[in-house]
Amino acid sequence: MSTENALAARRRGAFLAWSAAGIAALLVLPHLIASDYLRQLVNLGLISLIVVVGLNYITGYCGQINFGQAAFWGIGAYVTALLTLQGLSFWLALPIAAIATGLASLVLGIPTLKLRAYYLAMATIGFGEIVQLVLTHWEPVTGGTSGLRGVPAIGLFGYTLQGHLQHYYFLLAWCALGLGIALRVRSSKIGRAMIALRDSEIAAEVCGVSTVNVKLLAFVLSSVYAAVAGGLYVGYVNYVSPDLFSNAQAVLFFSMLVIGGTGSAVGAVIGTIVLTALPEALRFLKEWYMVLYGVGVILMIVFLPEGVVSLARRLRRVEETAPDARVVIEQRVEAVAPRESARGVTILQVREVTQRFGGLVALDKVSMDIAAGTIHAVIGPNGSGKTTFLNALTGAYTPQSGSVTRMGVELLGMQPHRIARLGVSRTFQNIRLYRSLSALENVMVGQACRSKATLLDILAGTRRQRDEETGMREEATKALAFVGLADKAGRPAGSLAYAQQRLLEIARALATKPGVLLLDEPAAGMNANEAARLVQLIDAIRRRGVTVVLVEHNMRLVMGISDRISVFDFGRKIAEGTPDEVQGDPAVIEAYLGRSGRVVAHA
Ligand code: ADP
Ligand code: MG
């Protein structure tokens, strides 16, 4: 057995031992607690935990600020209470409450999640106020400020749950379910897409991720968790009143997540424990306790901005073992991308594209034919519009006029993720990796647009989902090997060296299986050695049948490998031709002489 396997086995053993100990501790916990008051506190903590683990989807994974959890919790609680008071079974009332709440979040999320992050924060605060007003003033239905009493207890297999102890185990099972689902989603393409869009929304889009849909899904999942927690709450305390579901409560849920550590379900657990226990632990301080509590929360946010979980992460040794690195290198010369149509056919047709920013014309009626199977370079002085050109082709900008067609399909005006799915992929001049995902996961985000697994597959862990995940993992490992990063698979992308980050962006872009790959200054920041290897890589990509549009400053590099070169100056295309033609073009010499004083030698 190799040392890697031994290490993995030992780690798995330790994990199992810790899990077993943790489960045992959770099972005996309520028996160690003498007072009913504390038992109830623990149970309410479990209910909060479900709300906070739910919040983690939209706020932790997607990075969107959501203050709606208390309102969704309230809707779930009231709908369940009203239906069970009518005699409906809890087990029917709960899913109805969850669906109703999910629909409410959809109605709230559709208009706001398309906008910037803080719109969701504002919309959910407003929503919280409205829910509060309705609960308080719609007396005939909600019972007004005095709420609803005598909500039936939860029946389970013919028994009725009674007492704190029985409810503890019942709620614990729900927490386990909620956490299990969260971890499953996190390790799927949906979880990766959520974190990808948090780290860079535009980079997620150009990998084919519909960021609006993913955010919407996360928001609905969050609200459904809150609704289920609400239903469990009324089933447990048999009573509901509006004051519990205030915006202050929403902020508390939010603090629980932030203090534990956003972006991790484990963080949600820790934060919930801390903020449930802290007020009790400080109770002996009487009126001073609110002050200390507030100061404590502020200190934690200042000194542990990434939450308590980050402490564990920092303490843990960085032991990186790349999966099967050596095996993969031998397979490196295997197809990464499919061969597009025969060389010479126009694969991207650009006509009179004009992009203005206020008075500035960044692209001035640019036309170009990109021939399949070629390396087509775009060069020009700084600020001449090269990056803007790539942004226009990939949907990051929508030019005011012109047209870009790929096989007859108009790309202008299309959302970036749709363009990506049509086989146009890119890298960024300012690197935009998903910094908190591993190198391997970065590549896997790019593959997701070809995945067939549905949310249900992921939740149920079907065979299709597992096979697909394995396949993606293998393919992504090959893609990493192809760009020379086989041994970096497990490393967080943000920790890679600069040149490696550029290569990772290429691997990620290739994972979408593009027909056209747009590279924006891929050699920037590379030394001569790295640049030379990059040339080989670009050539290998072209030989796989991928058309390359290369924006590059390094003239020697461009002249050496390009089939065709377009030259930009002040947003206009001033010349185009083979490297030899372009080097001798008076307009090109003029454009470059005007600034740097040298033509081709500058590198
Ligand atoms: P290059 O990549 O050739 O160096 P760019 O395409 O980045 O040049 O920029 C071309 C011009 O457009 C520059 O003057 C730049 O300041 C301007 N520009 C680019 N993007 C924007 C934007 N989003 N808003 C305003 N001006 C922009
Ligand atoms: Mg640029």
Side-chain angles (χ1 to χ4, degrees):
M1 191 159 46
S2 77
T3 48
E4 267 165 44
N5 284 344
L7 196 72
R10 214 170 58 215
R11 232 190 270 164
R12 206 174 311 125
F15 176 76
L16 286 178
W18 277 108
S19 308
I23 291 169
L26 284 171
L27 291 179
V28 298
L29 175 73
H31 296 283
L32 304 177
I33 300 173
S35 92
D36 268 350
Y37 174 76
L38 285 181
R39 281 182 180 166
Q40 179 171 27
L41 185 75
V42 169
N43 284 352
L44 294 178
L46 291 177
I47 290 171
S48 296
L49 179 60
I50 297 172
V51 181
V52 177
V53 170
L55 179 62
N56 188 48
Y57 287 106
I58 185 73
T59 298
Y61 294 160
C62 295
Q64 311 291 308
I65 297 173
N66 167 22
F67 287 118
Q69 282 305 78
F72 293 133
W73 186 42
I75 297 177
Y78 270 88
V79 173
T80 310
L82 288 168
L83 292 176
T84 50
L85 280 168
Q86 295 295 316
L88 201 66
S89 151
F90 172 81
W91 297 102
L92 279 176
L94 190 69
I96 294 175
I99 291 170
T101 312
L103 287 176
S105 72
L106 209 55
V107 170
L108 188 62
I110 286 173
T112 40
L113 284 169
K114 284 189 187 139
L115 307 168
R116 285 178 184 281
Y118 45 79
Y119 281 93
L120 184 68
M122 294 192 304
T124 47
I125 288 173
F127 180 70
E129 287 298 328
I130 293 169
V131 168
Q132 185 70 196
L133 284 173
V134 170
L135 294 182
T136 315
H137 294 287
W138 195 17
E139 267 200 71
V141 174
T142 65
T145 45
S146 48
L148 302 168
R149 290 172 186 284
V151 179
I154 299 166
L156 187 64
F157 306 124
Y159 295 96
T160 302
L161 287 181
Q162 283 171 334
H164 302 305
L165 212 56
Q166 288 184 5
H167 279 99
Y168 171 80
Y169 293 112
F170 182 65
L171 292 170
L172 195 62
W174 279 96
C175 285
L177 178 69
L179 268 171
I181 291 175
L183 295 178
R184 195 163 262 190
V185 169
R186 168 60 189 89
S187 61
S188 75
K189 61 169 178 179
I190 295 179
R192 287 190 294 269
M194 287 174 179
I195 291 178
L197 78 86
R198 177 189 71 194
D199 285 356
S200 171
E201 212 156 302
I202 183 63
E205 279 277 333
V206 303
C207 278
V209 174
S210 166
T211 53
V212 173
N213 287 352
V214 173
K215 281 190 269 184
L216 209 52
L217 175 64
F219 190 50
V220 171
L221 274 173
S222 297
S223 76
V224 167
Y225 269 64
V228 168
L232 295 171
Y233 176 82
V234 282
Y236 171 44
V237 302
N238 315 117
Y239 165 72
V240 60
S241 69
D243 47 303
L244 268 170
F245 311 110
S246 63
N247 274 336
Q249 182 65 43
V251 173
L252 181 62
F253 287 140
F254 193 81
S255 315
M256 286 175 173
L257 183 64
V258 171
I259 282 190
T262 54
S264 137
V266 178
V269 176
I270 295 171
T272 309
I273 293 172
V274 170
L275 284 199
T276 306
L278 207 58
E280 297 306 317
L282 298 177
R283 199 170 279 278
F284 70 94
L285 294 165
K286 304 225 169 63
E287 55 268 28
W288 278 98
Y289 114 82
M290 265 328 269
V291 178
L292 257 168
Y293 175 67
V295 171
V297 170
I298 291 171
L299 285 180
M300 288 190 79
I301 289 174
V302 170
F303 289 107
L304 280 177
E306 287 168 64
V308 178
V309 269
S310 69
L311 200 64
R313 228 177 272 145
R314 257 186 258 172
L315 294 177
R316 202 172 51 200
R317 228 163 3 115
V318 189
E319 40 178 333
E320 305 298 350
T321 49
D324 317 309
R326 271 154 300 167
V327 186
V328 172
I329 292 172
E330 281 143 35
Q331 307 170 337
R332 74 179 274 167
V333 199
E334 212 171 285
V336 167
R339 192 164 286 275
E340 188 102 17
S341 55
R343 191 172 168 144
V345 177
T346 299
I347 201 169
L348 269 185
Q349 192 182 58
V350 183
R351 287 292 173 270
E352 309 245 310
V353 167
T354 297
Q355 171 75 55
R356 285 185 220 95
F357 297 109
L360 179 93
V361 186
L363 290 177
D364 192 357
K365 295 195 178 163
V366 172
S367 299
M368 204 180 291
D369 285 323
I370 312 281
T374 62
I375 296 177
H376 192 129
V378 175
I379 64 169
N382 263 330
S384 57
K386 305 181 297 294
T387 297
T388 305
F389 182 63
L390 297 194
N391 282 333
L393 296 188
T394 52
Y397 294 161
T398 309
Q400 281 77 11
S401 63
S403 117
V404 177
T405 51
R406 167 157 163 71
M407 312 289 181
V409 180
E410 178 62 60
L411 301 186
L412 282 201
M414 215 180 251
Q415 287 166 310
H417 68 268
R418 294 201 178 279
I419 297 179
R421 285 163 187 235
L422 288 175
V424 181
S425 191
R426 72 175 287 187
T427 65
F428 295 90
Q429 184 176 352
N430 313 313
I431 295 169
R432 292 175 196 270
L433 287 168
Y434 318 129
R435 300 180 61 83
S436 41
L437 291 179
S438 70
L440 192 77
E441 285 179 308
N442 265 268
V443 177
M444 290 174 80
V445 172
Q447 300 170 324
C449 55
R450 286 176 283 114
S451 145
K452 300 269 185 303
T454 63
L455 179 63
L456 283 182
D457 283 320
I458 290 167
L459 294 184
T462 59
R463 169 160 219 118
R464 169 155 83 162
Q465 152 71 6
R466 277 177 288 137
D467 288 351
E468 196 178 86
E469 191 73 14
T470 313
M472 281 202 217
R473 208 160 271 278
E474 279 169 11
E475 198 185 297
T477 312
K478 279 182 206 163
L480 280 180
F482 178 65
V483 300
L485 293 176
D487 56 339
K488 301 288 185 287
R491 290 269 296 273
S495 75
L496 296 181
Y498 195 75
Q500 293 169 346
Q501 295 198 7
R502 290 220 172 271
L503 294 172
L504 180 55
E505 274 213 346
I506 295 176
R508 181 181 70 184
L510 286 174
T512 65
K513 300 235 161 149
V516 192
L517 175 65
L518 317 177
L519 300 173
D520 199 348
E521 306 209 10
M526 286 192 176
N527 62 33
N529 234 330
E530 291 163 339
R533 258 181 287 145
L534 177 71
V535 169
Q536 289 179 347
L537 178 64
I538 294 174
D539 197 48
I541 292 169
R542 187 250 312 263
R543 276 188 278 116
R544 300 229 181 295
V546 180
T547 308
V548 178
V549 176
L550 174 66
V551 167
E552 186 47 62
H553 246 41
N554 186 329
M555 284 302 157
R556 207 172 303 148
L557 190 154
V558 167
M559 294 301 167
I561 60 170
S562 305
D563 297 301
R564 211 168 168 76
I565 300 178
S566 302
V567 188
F568 282 18
D569 195 23
F570 291 115
R572 273 174 301 121
K573 188 176 89 174
I574 57 166
E576 189 171 81
T578 63
D580 286 338
E581 287 164 3
V582 163
Q583 285 182 80
D585 192 309
V588 178
I589 295 168
E590 169 68 26
Y592 275 89
L593 277 178
R595 264 144 272 204
S596 69
R598 288 201 276 164
V599 192
V600 168
H602 108 200

